[in-house]
Amino acid sequence: LALNSYSCGMASSTQQLKKLEHAWKEILDPHNKGIIDLDEFAASIHRANPNVAQHAIQSLFKLLNSDNANSVHGHIDENDFIQGITRNANKPAHLALLQQCLLPSSSASPAAVSHNDTPWHRVYHEHFGDLNCVNQDVWAQRMLSLNMSDIDEDDLRLFHACMDSQFRNSFDVGEFIDAFTAPSLHHRHMDRVRELIKSHLVPS
């Protein structure tokens, strides 16, 4: 299997993606079993990068698990892996997660190494703890508890839909970070709602 060419804008980005492509045989399936489950996946990553958190490994497994989307059950194979990289190559937070878990620290990009320490990553864990995914009710409940008088519940639920990029009625930490760091959501009202939410989550 081989990845298609990417228009990443920088040679270093293409090199990172090629290194990710090779990680299946070099890190995840060195004995050529063909498929691996979450336990095997986690053990392989920990051998390569002992400091990767378990919740990050679970999040990555879910991104790659095409047969059981958003699940830690089942298995992934090389085709799932390659397709997962292809699907997430243009999502900065997801790509950073891939790099953080699968590339040795000496070859990971600065963005990947620091992904778990970004302000928005800390905000996510401050409000949602170790939840791998946040459904609409939990999102609304946590945000309403902040007494956001300038935002109503309908807008909060609409904003949740903006973060739910995989249409599974929940978002994960990568989608959360993408929503709050993207230049625009391409919806004027949701951009305004985002700025109001930001003012409560990250007070100036």
Side-chain angles (χ1 to χ4, degrees):
L1 292 173
L3 290 172
N4 293 328
S5 298
Y6 291 94
S7 299
C8 295
M10 295 177 63
S12 59
S13 297
T14 302
Q15 292 169 359
Q16 296 294 329
L17 291 171
K18 295 302 290 183
K19 288 177 181 177
L20 286 172
E21 175 188 359
H22 295 144
W24 175 263
K25 289 185 173 69
E26 294 175 358
I27 296 174
L28 296 175
D29 190 26
H31 303 298
N32 199 28
K33 285 183 59 180
I35 61 171
I36 56 175
D37 62 17
L38 175 62
D39 290 339
E40 294 167 314
F41 184 76
S44 296
I45 289 175
H46 278 141
R47 280 195 296 270
N49 288 319
N51 295 324
V52 177
Q54 184 65 22
H55 68 78
I57 292 174
Q58 291 179 345
S59 295
L60 179 57
F61 189 85
K62 291 178 180 181
L63 285 179
L64 301 173
N65 191 355
S66 60
D67 290 334
N68 295 282
N70 191 34
S71 173
V72 294
H73 302 295
H75 298 77
I76 61 172
D77 59 23
E78 187 175 7
N79 188 53
D80 295 325
F81 180 72
I82 297 296
Q83 290 181 355
I85 293 175
T86 304
R87 285 195 308 272
N88 293 285
N90 62 347
K91 299 176 181 177
H94 290 178
L95 181 59
L97 180 61
L98 283 159
Q99 291 173 309
Q100 175 207 355
C101 290
L102 296 173
L103 298 184
S105 58
S106 60
S107 62
S109 69
V113 172
S114 63
H115 178 62
N116 278 348
D117 297 323
T118 63
W120 284 107
H121 194 279
R122 292 194 292 271
V123 168
Y124 179 95
H125 287 288
E126 177 184 348
H127 293 282
F128 307 112
D130 290 328
L131 289 177
N132 289 317
C133 290
V134 179
N135 66 32
Q136 195 175 86
D137 290 337
V138 170
W139 161 256
Q141 179 186 33
R142 301 288 170 87
M143 295 302 99
L144 290 171
S145 71
L146 299 177
N147 298 317
M148 297 182 175
S149 58
D150 46 357
I151 308 173
D152 62 29
E153 185 172 349
D154 287 343
D155 278 342
L156 287 172
R157 291 182 180 276
L158 286 171
F159 191 79
H160 182 281
C162 291
M163 291 187 284
D164 178 19
S165 64
Q166 297 185 48
F167 306 105
R168 61 192 192 282
N169 299 316
S170 62
F171 63 80
D172 60 26
V173 62
E175 290 167 308
F176 177 82
I177 294 172
D178 285 344
F180 282 100
T181 58
S184 172
L185 299 175
H186 306 291
H187 188 289
R188 184 178 300 175
H189 181 62
M190 285 295 101
D191 279 341
R192 186 182 71 82
V193 169
R194 181 177 67 167
E195 293 309 306
L196 292 172
I197 295 173
K198 278 185 179 182
S199 70
H200 290 277
L201 295 180
V202 187
S204 57

